[in-house]
Amino acid sequence: MADTAVVEKKAKEPLFSKKNRQLMVDPLDDQNPITVQVLGICSALAITTQAMNAVVMTISVMFVLMAGNVIVSLMRNGIPDRIRIIVQLVVVASLVILVDQVLKAFMYDVSKQLSVFVGLIITNCIIMGRLEAFALGNKPWPSLLDGFGNAVGYGAILIIVGVFREILGSGKLFGIALLGDAAEKTGLYGMGYMNNNLVILPPMALIFVGIIIWIQRARNKSLIEAH
C-alpha cells in the first residue's frame, strides 16, 4: 500500500498574535526610537515649540512610515539588492510630497511653521531604518504594525515635549490659554508668573528629552548600559 503523504496545514497566525502585538508595544518603551535608539532627534528638538506641531508631525510620520513599510514589503521580492536604497528613497519621497501637499492645502499655517521639517521626513533615520531592517524581510501586515508602533513611540515623545514647552513657554496648550492672560495679569500671571522664553529654544528641548530618558531608565533598569 502506497504511503499516504500527510501534509499538515500550518496554522494561520492571528492578526494580533503575541508576536504582532510586540511589534506595536516594544517601540513605546524598550525599543523607543528616540529615547533608546536615539533616532529622529532633530525633529524632536526643532518642531516641539507647540503641541499642535508635534501632533501634525506625528501623524505625518505615521502615514509615511506605515505606508512606506507596506509598499516596500509588497515589493520586497522584486527589488534588486543593489538598488534597494534608491527604491526605498523613491517610495518615501513620494509619500512625503503627498503629505506636504495635503498640509499646504488644508493646514497652510501649520505647514509654514513646520517649514522644511516636513520635507526632511525623507531623511528621518527611523523611517529608512524600519524599511531596511524590517519591511524588506517581512510580510505587509507585520510591517504595517511595525510602522504603527514606531510612529507612536516617536510621536509620544514629541507630544510630551511639545506639551511642556508650549505650557511653560507661552502659557497655552493647543493655542488655549491655561495659565491666564499675560497682558491683563489674570490667573498665574497675576501672581507674578512669567512665560519662560528659554523653554522655546532648541537646547531646552534636548534637556526635556534627556529628562524623559532619565525617568525611563530609572523605571526600567534593563535599559541602563553596562558602561
Side-chain angles (χ1 to χ4, degrees), residues 113-200:
Q113 292 178 20
L114 292 177
S115 184
V116 299
F117 289 99
V118 172
L120 287 177
I121 292 175
I122 296 172
T123 62
N124 191 311
C125 305
I126 300 171
I127 295 175
M128 292 303 296
R130 298 323 299 170
L131 295 182
E132 178 74 9
F134 194 88
L136 269 178
N138 289 278
K139 294 180 179 179
W141 176 248
S143 298
L144 180 72
L145 298 180
D146 178 77
F148 176 80
N150 279 278
V152 172
Y154 165 82
I157 303 301
L158 256 66
I159 293 172
I160 292 172
V161 174
V163 166
F164 278 101
R165 292 183 74 188
E166 185 174 357
I167 292 177
L168 297 177
S170 64
K172 299 178 180 178
L173 183 60
F174 295 107
I176 301 172
L178 293 183
L179 306 181
D181 191 314
E184 298 183 359
K185 299 294 181 185
T186 61
L188 286 182
Y189 296 106
M191 301 168 65
Y193 178 80
M194 296 179 65
N195 291 330
N196 188 344
N197 293 328
L198 184 63
V199 177
I200 304 298

Side-chain angles (χ1 to χ4, degrees), residues 24 58-74 91-92 95 99 121 126-127 130-131 134-135 139-152:
M24 296 186 291
T58 298
I59 295 173
S60 301
V61 169
M62 182 179 292
F63 170 74
V64 174
L65 187 49
M66 292 174 67
N69 261 10
V70 171
I71 293 172
V72 170
S73 177
L74 289 170
V91 170
V92 174
L95 294 170
V99 169
I121 292 175
I126 300 171
I127 295 175
R130 298 323 299 170
L131 295 182
F134 194 88
K139 294 180 179 179
W141 176 248
S143 298
L144 180 72
L145 298 180
D146 178 77
F148 176 80
N150 279 278
V152 172

